[in-house]
Amino acid sequence: MSQEQIRAALRALPIELPSWGFANAGTRFGAFPEPGVARDIYEKIEDAATVHRLTGVCPTVAVHIPWDLPPAGKTWADIAEFAKSEGVAIGAINPNLFQDHDYKLGSVCNPDPAIRKKAVAHLKECAEIMKVTGSKLLSIWLADGTNYPGQDDIKSRRQRLIDCLAEGYAAMPDDGEMLVEYKLFEPAFYHTDLADWGTSFTVCQKLGERAKVLVDTGHHGHYTNIEFIVATLIAEGRLGGFHFNDRRYADDDLIVGSANPYALFCIFHELINGNDGKTAFQTAYMLDQSHVVEKKIEAMVLSVLNVQTAYAKALLVDRAALAEMQVAGDVMGAHAILRDAYETDVRPILAATREEIGRPADPLKALATDALVAERRARRQVEPARASGAGLGA
Amino acid sequence: MSQEQIRAALRALPIELPSWGFANAGTRFGAFPEPGVARDIYEKIEDAATVHRLTGVCPTVAVHIPWDLPPAGKTWADIAEFAKSEGVAIGAINPNLFQDHDYKLGSVCNPDPAIRKKAVAHLKECAEIMKVTGSKLLSIWLADGTNYPGQDDIKSRRQRLIDCLAEGYAAMPDDGEMLVEYKLFEPAFYHTDLADWGTSFTVCQKLGERAKVLVDTGHHGHYTNIEFIVATLIAEGRLGGFHFNDRRYADDDLIVGSANPYALFCIFHELINGNDGKTAFQTAYMLDQSHVVEKKIEAMVLSVLNVQTAYAKALLVDRAALAEMQVAGDVMGAHAILRDAYETDVRPILAATREEIGRPADPLKALATDALVAERRARRQVEPARASGAGLGA
Amino acid sequence: MSQEQIRAALRALPIELPSWGFANAGTRFGAFPEPGVARDIYEKIEDAATVHRLTGVCPTVAVHIPWDLPPAGKTWADIAEFAKSEGVAIGAINPNLFQDHDYKLGSVCNPDPAIRKKAVAHLKECAEIMKVTGSKLLSIWLADGTNYPGQDDIKSRRQRLIDCLAEGYAAMPDDGEMLVEYKLFEPAFYHTDLADWGTSFTVCQKLGERAKVLVDTGHHGHYTNIEFIVATLIAEGRLGGFHFNDRRYADDDLIVGSANPYALFCIFHELINGNDGKTAFQTAYMLDQSHVVEKKIEAMVLSVLNVQTAYAKALLVDRAALAEMQVAGDVMGAHAILRDAYETDVRPILAATREEIGRPADPLKALATDALVAERRARRQVEPARASGAGLGA
Amino acid sequence: MSQEQIRAALRALPIELPSWGFANAGTRFGAFPEPGVARDIYEKIEDAATVHRLTGVCPTVAVHIPWDLPPAGKTWADIAEFAKSEGVAIGAINPNLFQDHDYKLGSVCNPDPAIRKKAVAHLKECAEIMKVTGSKLLSIWLADGTNYPGQDDIKSRRQRLIDCLAEGYAAMPDDGEMLVEYKLFEPAFYHTDLADWGTSFTVCQKLGERAKVLVDTGHHGHYTNIEFIVATLIAEGRLGGFHFNDRRYADDDLIVGSANPYALFCIFHELINGNDGKTAFQTAYMLDQSHVVEKKIEAMVLSVLNVQTAYAKALLVDRAALAEMQVAGDVMGAHAILRDAYETDVRPILAATREEIGRPADPLKALATDALVAERRARRQVEPARASGAGLGA
């Protein structure tokens, strides 16, 4: 692939930013406030727009309901308008079905039908927000599960889950997609109702063609070969998208590509394979991180760079030569082709890619001296926020 | 459930023994021969029959091809006849698609079509053995996978896998079932072509209704809640059966229930739930272990006892009371019901279960003084085996 | 060991309760308040005293500073007096070096000397509390670590850690012990400054003879054989005590013995071995749990029962017979001896143990109808707490 | 650091090759012979010498006793002479205490004193080989452990271990070092007598100053931060050396740096830190891999390149700038410095490093057309080996 094609491919891969990644986040042991951090949906959109301004590839912002609700007197149409004025748009709608005290024993899987009804109502509310904002994605992550054997009936919970999600699915706009995320554990510590890709997959089959699996790169066991899951979901027509982040231990929600950059490269290798060796498969590429000790905007910019680094290296793989080696059974030769692509320094390509569209060659350096960001950070420390709202990462 | 019902349920759960579990086995660091151990298919059947004689619940023996091939001049019909004379029958047929040197880079996923053809021929050979022996199960475990990123194309391998298994599926007798086993890793260390239950499940959907997922309790990551998979597969109508064994680290192939007996109990709890709280779901209960330092027959008897212990305790769960607690959201109360069943000493029930059908109350003690076993062990140390054949556990 | 000896041993094993285990706790996704839960140090002591009243084996309560600080106008002497009036005493003093915003990048390992100084001052404050309350244990758990390679210098942090702890060690009363806890990860996700028992051990060697390793059963990787660590620390004279809880995935902080009761049994087996087969090695047995969905007092009572269950079963092991089997290399025979002890139903022994000292045979049942607990729970929902104070589990 | 200094540092880091890495190896499911592979100690030395000839940094070959025993009529002096004639020398002596049938239940930890005596005699034999060959390293890896709780007494085994190793230690030449390796599991599946670095460390303290810990990069749990262990062992003066290889799942023994190259980079970062930011700490850098599907010599060359790649990148870290960022608490800035070094393409530096000492710029390409290697591979397929001997990797 020519350098020009690679640059074009990089520009054509949109990376969605999570509103909650711009707010203070923590672990169960506490959070550490960053001065000047975003405090409401307006400020989160401002910061996401900054990342888009510096990188050129982040046109949308995912929102989390109710963390990002508009203030009294304002509507989601107003928020969408504000986003537009900042140069971005509203992306995936993320219902919150875990924080309300009613959800202690689950939301759509709760043994109490009244609580399930409340959860379904929230799904429908989010489906409405899709319509108002023009969002095409309803992104479902559930904390549902149990902590002790016997606490609830796994089989019954599965049926409740399917029934409730079916109502949410039906409420979506006709061109909307439901992304069904899974997670091995946390906050549930015995069983999780959507524990792995296989479970999400079988649920999607029940819901309909516009239900697809969402792969969060931090939601697997240590052993898991994520690119294999990606390849399988593409083959099955059910890859809905990603929540990118990185991990060493559990769902650490670190900057994507910061703990194991080679693993991210291997994922993009399969995404390109899944698109017959051309560019990466078309799906939702979203970040989902929780920045505890990092500066939030800086962390997001680096995350975008890391995704692009992995993608650029995967685009460099000589796929014709690779196919020859593979067919010949040349283990070392085939592996060497991936290794060569990975060892290439792609920072110059990335810089050129950005400069061609009028973005800074080094976005992190540009951010460090960005006047608007500095001014906003200063102002937020003295002026009240426009709306209430908070949010911790997941 | 009454004690009588429990005893009847225990007797009605057949546990299949693996021929290879009676032979010397080892790790990659070597094997340690046991004096008087079974050396060929005849002796393995003898030893399996001993376990059935002592426990009363092991009517069948799984065989591994070509480890268990009949000697020259003998047929599988002869072997089946010999098994019958020993009081057992031939169970699942297990093709070996990993040991031949041709399979270095895979069998049904191999990039070389000639090797795939050879693998398919072996599947068909095994389907023939099903017909001759009356076996209803073709049990597929593949070692296929790669060790290095790029070594082969994951997507292409998946298609080869489906195409080849489809030929094996078509060759089975009309009432035969194909059990598709998965394994996280080993011997492949980058990706495994059948890596998790989700992969096996999607492959089974392609093959047909008589393809089902085989759960080996040692083939998961540390985190995995196996009973959740069991519940899900039952709901989807795709639970084909078990390969029971236990593990702490990787696929350790230890005596089932010896490392974490509570986990086995939880599996049986879901198997009973999946059968609407009556007895355990009807499926293939098979042992698959590799005894490195244990005496083989003793290890098998203990394995059978451990499975029955877990089942008996799960049968003791007061399911009516449990359902009440669950609906009421009483976390501690519901969990306590499982805990109470688990803390019960079921050794007396198990002893009574066996004595009612003329088996020894304590099969391990009976084995220690069993004259026939002693005589066979002595004879095997001086007389040649009737056939060639070996086999390491997996 | 006779039944009488077992009952005496059970009564002689004191289990310390954590004040924070009686308060509302949660995960990073939120907490769910329990009506009538303890809100300050007085109420936590009341609840701990309830558990002691019902079980007879929990004479002390560990406290967490500053979560448990006395209210204005009151001193630690007053708190100690209140505890005495409730029938319990103050146990281990737990400094909190992770929640203050200054500790974002570490406490005693922080690159900023001013913050380290603050951390040392807190250690000295806790050493003073030991003197006032009569506590003999300073229990150190640090959240110190980093999230990204390069974030700080591992080598320098180690030296800072040793230097600061040495100051805290020197400030303790002469008969005080410093317990140095380790944890694999969380809240740090790249490296943790006290990551494993080996690190704590080398630090203890630097500090002095009264520094010992604290084993939290939830702070290891999946693979870890904890009883092996216990045996090693006993051999080295450095086993300081336990924080008991259970886990399946990460540091889940579940009820001890609820996820894998056999593992707890194996730990007690080594504790008895480490005391030459008599009773369990004398050390600090403390609970450290975080109850998210459970009722707090109920969860503590069950935890105590689970520890006693494991201990009672381990006491039942026929150690003379076991030693014979081991020396003879009889793998199956030796293992069977442990299995037999484990399969025994010890609930009757435990009930008798309690009844002999005037405690209820079934403490959970007694708790359900306990008038004092009911009255306190009701009152707390209408009356203000006596002091401020909160606390989440770790 | 200047490019010149980096090249000098790279040339000054010797990487020891394992004789057993040139032989056929497999998993417990079988091995796949490579045509022309080394069959005895002579041929293994030839192949190791080839790697040294192509890379210039592999002056020594570790040997494994008895796999590498000289043929009848030859002595270790002859073998050392042969190595010298090939341009290499004998490196670490590796006793084999796991394959003999006597070691079924352990070697130096075996309950049977006669077997322990045999194991000690083997240690002494290896200490003699050190003297004859001039080797300074006795490299101990034990398979000792148990598979079932109760199988043997952990405490007693620990004492036997220390007593036996002490005899081996005493037999070494005065300037010899004993390297004590640890491993989490395999082939033992319940407990391993040398399970983690902490255990090895406490044993080394008992043995003496010339006993040090050997870190095999594949012998840890998933979670383990190996560079943290490296930093700790350097601080304690007990880092004896490495067995390099890579893993995803268990002890996969893959080509070092092939599964997670960033982790290897982080290890070298700490090795340089441990030497005050100059070059990597002086210790034994050894490869220990098991090549199942790879061509053996090719795999070794790539392994050497991967080690050098990681080291070169770590040398590129701007340590002065890093220290400033760390002291300032600039998380993102400090991390970025490591990232920048890692993203650099160091293949040109490595090529220059080799060309300056007359080695090929691309050793893998040179190997592909190496006439001597081709000739040897051809000859070995028709001529008998000079000695017997085999060996599987560990």
Side-chain angles (χ1 to χ4, degrees):
Chain A
M1 193 172 283
S2 76
Q3 298 277 313
E4 205 160 49
Q5 287 171 310
I6 291 174
R7 291 198 302 270
L10 285 166
R11 278 194 297 268
L13 190 96
I15 303 169
E16 182 162 305
L17 304 173
S19 70
W20 56 94
F22 295 99
N24 283 322
T27 68
R28 62 174 168 140
F29 300 100
F32 303 100
E34 176 187 330
V37 83
R39 298 162 298 171
D40 63 16
I41 180 62
Y42 293 100
E43 295 178 358
K44 292 175 197 169
I45 288 173
E46 285 172 357
D47 291 355
T50 294
V51 177
H52 185 44
R53 178 163 53 85
L54 294 172
T55 64
V57 293
C58 302
T60 54
V61 194
V63 294
H64 214 289
I65 316 300
W67 295 342
D68 293 329
L69 282 186
K74 297 288 183 179
T75 65
W76 271 105
D78 299 323
I79 300 294
E81 192 58 37
F82 178 76
K84 197 176 165 189
S85 75
E86 286 283 323
V88 293
I90 300 300
I93 310 298
N94 290 255
N96 181 315
L97 292 167
F98 56 87
Q99 210 164 20
D100 192 285
H101 291 166
D102 277 347
Y103 298 143
K104 183 176 184 172
L105 303 181
S107 62
V108 295
C109 302
N110 199 296
D112 183 342
I115 293 172
R116 296 202 298 276
K117 201 171 164 186
K118 172 176 171 171
V120 167
H122 184 53
L123 290 174
K124 289 179 177 171
E125 175 196 358
C126 289
E128 282 311 304
I129 297 175
M130 291 174 76
K131 291 171 188 167
V132 177
T133 58
S135 168
K136 299 300 172 217
L137 298 175
L138 186 58
S139 187
I140 308 288
W141 174 69
L142 302 175
D144 286 59
T146 60
N147 276 5
Y148 294 97
Q151 178 182 327
D152 200 0
D153 187 63
I154 292 175
K155 192 174 75 165
S156 307
R157 291 177 71 94
R158 178 179 167 82
Q159 195 53 53
R160 296 172 202 149
L161 169 71
I162 292 168
D163 292 344
C164 291
L165 288 191
E167 292 195 56
Y169 184 88
M172 290 194 304
D174 288 350
D175 57 352
E177 273 193 4
M178 181 178 276
L179 305 184
V180 184
E181 192 170 351
Y182 57 90
K183 186 177 182 182
L184 192 49
F185 76 97
E186 197 214 17
F189 298 125
Y190 168 59
H191 102 278
T192 296
D193 289 293
L194 285 169
D196 57 14
W197 77 264
T199 313
S200 284
F201 175 82
T202 61
V203 168
C204 286
Q205 285 188 324
K206 301 277 180 303
L207 295 176
E209 291 207 347
R210 289 178 291 117
K212 294 186 178 164
V213 179
L214 177 64
V215 178
D216 183 300
T217 46
H219 287 190
H220 306 83
H222 296 288
Y223 285 116
T224 311
N225 181 320
I226 297 176
E227 57 265 32
F228 176 76
I229 295 175
V230 167
T232 305
L233 285 172
I234 292 176
E236 292 284 329
R238 292 280 182 179
L239 179 65
F242 290 91
H243 270 181
F244 280 131
N245 52 64
D246 214 339
R247 68 184 285 279
R248 271 194 188 73
Y249 302 95
D251 182 28
D252 306 341
D253 275 326
L254 299 171
I255 292 171
V256 59
S258 70
N260 189 342
Y262 190 57
L264 189 60
F265 163 77
C266 289
I267 289 173
F268 271 99
H269 177 62
E270 289 308 324
L271 282 163
I272 298 171
N273 271 356
N275 201 25
D276 294 323
K278 289 175 299 210
T279 52
F281 185 79
Q282 261 205 309
T283 193
Y285 294 96
M286 304 182 283
L287 297 176
D288 178 12
Q289 300 174 176
S290 175
H291 305 128
V292 180
V293 299
E294 314 90 310
K295 291 180 87 172
K296 316 304 171 224
I297 307 177
E298 281 76 356
M300 277 301 178
V301 170
L302 180 56
S303 303
V304 172
L305 300 192
N306 284 353
V307 169
Q308 291 192 307
T309 297
Y311 185 27
K313 290 183 175 186
L315 287 165
L316 283 169
V317 170
D318 181 344
R319 272 153 218 285
L322 181 65
E324 266 182 47
M325 297 284 190
Q326 290 173 340
V327 166
D330 184 342
V331 175
M332 297 294 297
H335 174 61
I337 287 175
L338 255 73
R339 186 185 178 273
D340 276 338
Y342 181 72
E343 285 301 324
T344 307
D345 188 342
V346 297
R347 288 173 299 176
I349 307 181
L350 264 60
T353 302
R354 279 186 291 267
E355 289 184 315
E356 283 177 354
I357 53 167
R359 315 281 167 158
D362 184 338
L364 279 169
K365 203 173 157 188
L367 174 58
T369 56
D370 193 277
L372 181 57
V373 168
E375 188 229 301
R376 279 175 175 162
R377 281 177 169 165
R379 199 172 54 213
R380 290 173 189 173
Q381 295 180 61
V382 292
E383 291 182 9
R386 275 163 280 189
S388 68
L392 81 174
Chain B
M1 193 172 281
S2 74
Q3 298 277 315
E4 204 159 51
Q5 286 171 312
I6 292 174
R7 291 198 303 271
L10 285 166
R11 279 194 296 269
L13 191 95
I15 303 170
E16 181 162 306
L17 304 173
S19 70
W20 55 95
F22 294 99
N24 284 322
T27 68
R28 60 173 169 142
F29 300 100
F32 302 101
E34 176 187 330
V37 83
R39 297 163 297 171
D40 63 16
I41 180 62
Y42 293 102
E43 295 178 358
K44 292 175 197 170
I45 288 173
E46 285 172 356
D47 291 355
T50 294
V51 176
H52 185 44
R53 178 163 53 86
L54 294 172
T55 64
V57 291
C58 302
T60 55
V61 194
V63 293
H64 214 288
I65 317 299
W67 294 341
D68 292 330
L69 283 186
K74 296 288 183 178
T75 66
W76 271 105
D78 299 322
I79 300 294
E81 192 58 36
F82 177 77
K84 197 175 166 190
S85 75
E86 286 284 323
V88 293
I90 300 300
I93 310 297
N94 290 255
N96 181 316
L97 291 166
F98 55 86
Q99 210 165 19
D100 192 285
H101 292 167
D102 277 346
Y103 297 142
K104 182 176 185 172
L105 302 181
S107 62
V108 294
C109 302
N110 199 297
D112 182 343
I115 292 171
R116 295 201 297 276
K117 201 171 165 186
K118 172 175 170 171
V120 168
H122 183 53
L123 289 174
K124 290 179 177 170
E125 176 196 357
C126 289
E128 282 311 303
I129 297 175
M130 292 173 75
K131 292 171 188 167
V132 176
T133 57
S135 167
K136 299 300 172 215
L137 298 175
L138 185 58
S139 187
I140 308 288
W141 175 68
L142 301 175
D144 286 60
T146 61
N147 276 5
Y148 294 97
Q151 177 182 326
D152 200 0
D153 187 62
I154 292 174
K155 192 174 74 165
S156 307
R157 291 176 72 95
R158 178 179 166 83
Q159 195 53 54
R160 296 172 201 148
L161 169 71
I162 292 168
D163 292 345
C164 290
L165 289 191
E167 293 196 57
Y169 184 89
M172 290 194 304
D174 287 350
D175 57 351
E177 272 194 4
M178 180 178 277
L179 305 183
V180 183
E181 191 169 351
Y182 57 91
K183 185 177 182 182
L184 193 50
F185 77 97
E186 196 213 19
F189 298 125
Y190 168 59
H191 102 279
T192 296
D193 290 293
L194 285 169
D196 56 15
W197 77 265
T199 312
S200 284
F201 175 82
T202 62
V203 167
C204 286
Q205 285 188 325
K206 301 276 180 301
L207 295 176
E209 291 206 346
R210 288 178 291 117
K212 294 188 177 161
V213 179
L214 177 63
V215 178
D216 183 300
T217 47
H219 286 191
H220 306 83
H222 296 289
Y223 286 115
T224 310
N225 181 320
I226 296 176
E227 57 266 33
F228 177 75
I229 295 176
V230 167
T232 306
L233 285 172
I234 292 177
E236 292 284 329
R238 291 280 182 181
L239 179 65
F242 289 91
H243 271 181
F244 280 131
N245 52 63
D246 214 338
R247 69 185 284 278
R248 271 194 187 72
Y249 302 95
D251 182 27
D252 307 340
D253 275 326
L254 299 170
I255 292 171
V256 60
S258 70
N260 189 341
Y262 190 57
L264 189 62
F265 164 77
C266 289
I267 289 174
F268 271 100
H269 176 62
E270 289 308 324
L271 282 163
I272 297 171
N273 272 354
N275 202 25
D276 294 323
K278 289 176 298 212
T279 52
F281 186 80
Q282 261 203 309
T283 193
Y285 295 96
M286 304 183 282
L287 297 176
D288 178 13
Q289 301 175 174
S290 174
H291 306 128
V292 179
V293 298
E294 313 90 310
K295 291 179 89 171
K296 316 305 171 224
I297 306 176
E298 280 76 356
M300 277 302 178
V301 170
L302 180 56
S303 303
V304 172
L305 301 192
N306 285 353
V307 169
Q308 291 191 307
T309 297
Y311 185 28
K313 290 182 176 188
L315 287 165
L316 283 169
V317 170
D318 181 343
R319 273 153 218 284
L322 181 65
E324 266 182 48
M325 297 284 190
Q326 290 174 339
V327 166
D330 184 342
V331 174
M332 298 294 297
H335 174 61
I337 288 174
L338 256 71
R339 184 184 178 275
D340 276 338
Y342 181 71
E343 285 301 323
T344 307
D345 188 342
V346 297
R347 289 174 298 178
I349 306 181
L350 264 60
T353 302
R354 278 185 292 269
E355 289 184 314
E356 284 177 355
I357 53 167
R359 313 282 167 159
D362 185 339
L364 279 169
K365 203 172 156 189
L367 174 58
T369 55
D370 193 276
L372 180 57
V373 168
E375 186 228 303
R376 279 175 175 163
R377 281 176 170 165
R379 198 174 54 213
R380 290 173 189 172
Q381 294 180 63
V382 292
E383 290 182 10
R386 275 163 279 190
S388 68
L392 82 175
Chain C
M1 193 171 280
S2 74
Q3 296 278 315
E4 205 160 50
Q5 286 171 311
I6 291 174
R7 292 198 302 269
L10 284 166
R11 279 194 297 269
L13 190 96
I15 302 170
E16 181 162 304
L17 304 173
S19 70
W20 56 94
F22 295 99
N24 284 321
T27 68
R28 60 173 169 143
F29 300 101
F32 303 101
E34 176 188 330
V37 83
R39 297 163 297 171
D40 62 18
I41 180 62
Y42 293 101
E43 295 178 359
K44 292 175 197 170
I45 288 173
E46 285 171 358
D47 292 355
T50 295
V51 176
H52 185 45
R53 179 163 52 86
L54 293 172
T55 63
V57 292
C58 302
T60 55
V61 194
V63 293
H64 213 289
I65 317 299
W67 294 343
D68 292 330
L69 283 185
K74 295 288 183 179
T75 65
W76 271 104
D78 299 322
I79 300 294
E81 193 57 37
F82 177 76
K84 197 175 164 190
S85 75
E86 287 284 323
V88 293
I90 301 300
I93 310 297
N94 291 257
N96 181 316
L97 292 167
F98 56 86
Q99 210 165 20
D100 191 286
H101 292 167
D102 277 346
Y103 297 142
K104 183 175 183 171
L105 302 180
S107 62
V108 295
C109 302
N110 199 296
D112 183 342
I115 293 171
R116 296 203 297 276
K117 201 171 164 184
K118 172 175 170 171
V120 167
H122 184 52
L123 289 174
K124 290 179 178 171
E125 176 195 357
C126 289
E128 283 311 304
I129 297 174
M130 291 174 75
K131 292 171 189 167
V132 176
T133 57
S135 167
K136 300 300 172 214
L137 297 175
L138 186 58
S139 186
I140 308 287
W141 174 68
L142 302 175
D144 285 60
T146 60
N147 275 5
Y148 294 97
Q151 177 182 326
D152 200 358
D153 186 62
I154 292 175
K155 192 174 75 165
S156 307
R157 291 176 72 94
R158 177 179 167 83
Q159 195 54 53
R160 296 173 201 149
L161 168 72
I162 292 167
D163 292 345
C164 290
L165 288 191
E167 292 196 55
Y169 184 88
M172 290 194 305
D174 288 350
D175 58 351
E177 272 194 4
M178 180 178 276
L179 305 184
V180 184
E181 191 169 351
Y182 57 91
K183 186 177 181 182
L184 192 50
F185 77 98
E186 197 212 19
F189 298 126
Y190 168 58
H191 101 279
T192 295
D193 289 293
L194 286 168
D196 56 15
W197 77 266
T199 313
S200 284
F201 176 81
T202 62
V203 167
C204 286
Q205 285 188 325
K206 300 276 180 303
L207 295 176
E209 291 207 346
R210 289 176 292 117
K212 295 187 178 162
V213 179
L214 177 63
V215 178
D216 183 299
T217 47
H219 287 191
H220 306 83
H222 296 288
Y223 285 117
T224 310
N225 180 321
I226 296 176
E227 57 265 33
F228 176 75
I229 295 176
V230 167
T232 306
L233 285 172
I234 291 176
E236 291 285 329
R238 293 278 183 182
L239 179 66
F242 289 92
H243 271 181
F244 280 130
N245 51 63
D246 214 339
R247 68 185 284 280
R248 272 194 187 73
Y249 302 95
D251 181 28
D252 306 341
D253 274 327
L254 299 171
I255 292 171
V256 59
S258 70
N260 188 341
Y262 190 57
L264 188 62
F265 164 77
C266 289
I267 289 173
F268 271 100
H269 176 61
E270 289 308 325
L271 283 162
I272 296 171
N273 271 355
N275 202 26
D276 294 323
K278 290 175 298 211
T279 53
F281 185 79
Q282 260 205 309
T283 194
Y285 294 96
M286 303 182 283
L287 297 176
D288 178 12
Q289 299 176 174
S290 175
H291 306 128
V292 179
V293 299
E294 313 90 311
K295 292 180 89 172
K296 315 305 172 224
I297 307 176
E298 280 77 355
M300 277 302 177
V301 170
L302 180 56
S303 303
V304 172
L305 301 191
N306 284 352
V307 169
Q308 291 192 307
T309 298
Y311 185 27
K313 290 182 176 188
L315 287 165
L316 282 169
V317 170
D318 182 343
R319 272 153 218 284
L322 181 65
E324 266 182 48
M325 297 284 190
Q326 290 173 339
V327 167
D330 184 342
V331 175
M332 298 295 296
H335 174 62
I337 288 174
L338 256 71
R339 186 184 178 275
D340 276 339
Y342 181 72
E343 286 300 324
T344 307
D345 188 341
V346 297
R347 289 174 299 177
I349 307 181
L350 264 61
T353 302
R354 278 186 293 268
E355 289 184 315
E356 283 178 353
I357 53 167
R359 314 281 167 161
D362 184 339
L364 280 169
K365 202 172 158 190
L367 174 59
T369 57
D370 192 277
L372 180 58
V373 168
E375 186 229 302
R376 280 174 174 163
R377 281 176 169 165
R379 199 174 53 211
R380 290 173 189 172
Q381 295 180 62
V382 292
E383 291 182 9
R386 275 162 279 189
S388 68
L392 81 175
Chain D
M1 193 171 280
S2 74
Q3 298 278 313
E4 205 160 49
Q5 286 172 310
I6 291 174
R7 292 198 301 271
L10 285 165
R11 279 194 296 268
L13 191 96
I15 302 169
E16 182 162 305
L17 303 173
S19 69
W20 56 94
F22 294 100
N24 283 323
T27 68
R28 61 173 169 142
F29 300 100
F32 303 101
E34 176 188 330
V37 83
R39 297 163 297 172
D40 62 17
I41 180 62
Y42 293 101
E43 295 177 357
K44 293 175 197 169
I45 288 174
E46 285 172 355
D47 291 356
T50 294
V51 177
H52 185 44
R53 178 163 53 85
L54 294 172
T55 64
V57 292
C58 302
T60 53
V61 194
V63 293
H64 214 289
I65 316 300
W67 294 342
D68 292 330
L69 283 185
K74 295 289 183 179
T75 66
W76 271 105
D78 299 324
I79 300 293
E81 193 57 36
F82 178 77
K84 197 176 166 189
S85 76
E86 286 284 322
V88 293
I90 299 300
I93 310 298
N94 290 256
N96 181 316
L97 291 166
F98 56 87
Q99 211 165 19
D100 192 285
H101 292 166
D102 277 346
Y103 298 142
K104 182 176 185 172
L105 302 181
S107 62
V108 295
C109 303
N110 200 297
D112 182 342
I115 292 172
R116 296 203 297 277
K117 201 171 165 186
K118 171 175 171 171
V120 168
H122 183 53
L123 289 174
K124 290 179 178 171
E125 175 195 359
C126 289
E128 284 310 304
I129 297 175
M130 291 173 75
K131 291 171 189 167
V132 177
T133 58
S135 168
K136 300 300 171 216
L137 298 175
L138 186 58
S139 187
I140 308 288
W141 175 69
L142 302 175
D144 286 59
T146 60
N147 276 5
Y148 293 97
Q151 178 183 327
D152 200 0
D153 187 62
I154 292 175
K155 192 174 75 164
S156 307
R157 291 176 72 95
R158 179 179 166 82
Q159 195 53 54
R160 295 172 202 148
L161 170 71
I162 292 168
D163 292 345
C164 290
L165 289 191
E167 292 196 57
Y169 184 87
M172 290 195 303
D174 288 348
D175 58 351
E177 272 193 4
M178 180 178 277
L179 305 183
V180 183
E181 192 169 351
Y182 57 92
K183 185 177 182 181
L184 192 51
F185 76 98
E186 197 212 19
F189 297 125
Y190 169 59
H191 101 280
T192 296
D193 289 293
L194 286 169
D196 56 15
W197 76 265
T199 313
S200 284
F201 175 82
T202 61
V203 167
C204 286
Q205 285 188 325
K206 300 276 179 302
L207 294 176
E209 292 206 345
R210 289 178 292 116
K212 294 187 177 162
V213 179
L214 177 64
V215 178
D216 183 300
T217 47
H219 287 189
H220 306 83
H222 296 288
Y223 285 116
T224 311
N225 180 321
I226 297 176
E227 57 266 32
F228 177 76
I229 295 175
V230 167
T232 305
L233 286 172
I234 292 177
E236 292 284 329
R238 292 280 182 181
L239 179 65
F242 289 92
H243 271 180
F244 280 132
N245 52 64
D246 215 338
R247 67 184 285 278
R248 271 194 187 73
Y249 302 94
D251 182 29
D252 306 341
D253 275 326
L254 299 171
I255 292 171
V256 60
S258 69
N260 189 342
Y262 190 57
L264 189 61
F265 164 77
C266 289
I267 289 173
F268 271 99
H269 176 61
E270 289 308 325
L271 283 163
I272 297 172
N273 272 354
N275 202 25
D276 293 324
K278 288 175 300 209
T279 52
F281 185 80
Q282 261 204 310
T283 193
Y285 294 97
M286 304 182 283
L287 297 176
D288 178 13
Q289 300 175 175
S290 175
H291 305 129
V292 180
V293 299
E294 314 90 309
K295 290 180 88 171
K296 315 305 172 225
I297 306 177
E298 281 76 356
M300 277 301 178
V301 170
L302 180 56
S303 303
V304 172
L305 300 191
N306 284 353
V307 169
Q308 291 192 307
T309 297
Y311 185 28
K313 290 182 176 188
L315 287 165
L316 282 169
V317 171
D318 182 342
R319 271 154 219 282
L322 181 65
E324 265 182 48
M325 297 284 190
Q326 290 173 339
V327 166
D330 185 342
V331 175
M332 298 295 296
H335 174 61
I337 287 174
L338 255 73
R339 185 183 177 274
D340 276 339
Y342 181 72
E343 285 301 324
T344 307
D345 188 341
V346 298
R347 288 173 299 176
I349 306 181
L350 264 59
T353 301
R354 279 185 291 267
E355 289 184 314
E356 283 178 353
I357 53 167
R359 314 282 168 160
D362 184 338
L364 279 169
K365 203 172 156 190
L367 175 58
T369 56
D370 193 277
L372 180 57
V373 168
E375 187 229 301
R376 280 174 174 163
R377 281 175 169 166
R379 200 173 53 212
R380 291 172 188 172
Q381 295 180 61
V382 292
E383 290 182 9
R386 275 164 278 189
S388 67
L392 82 175

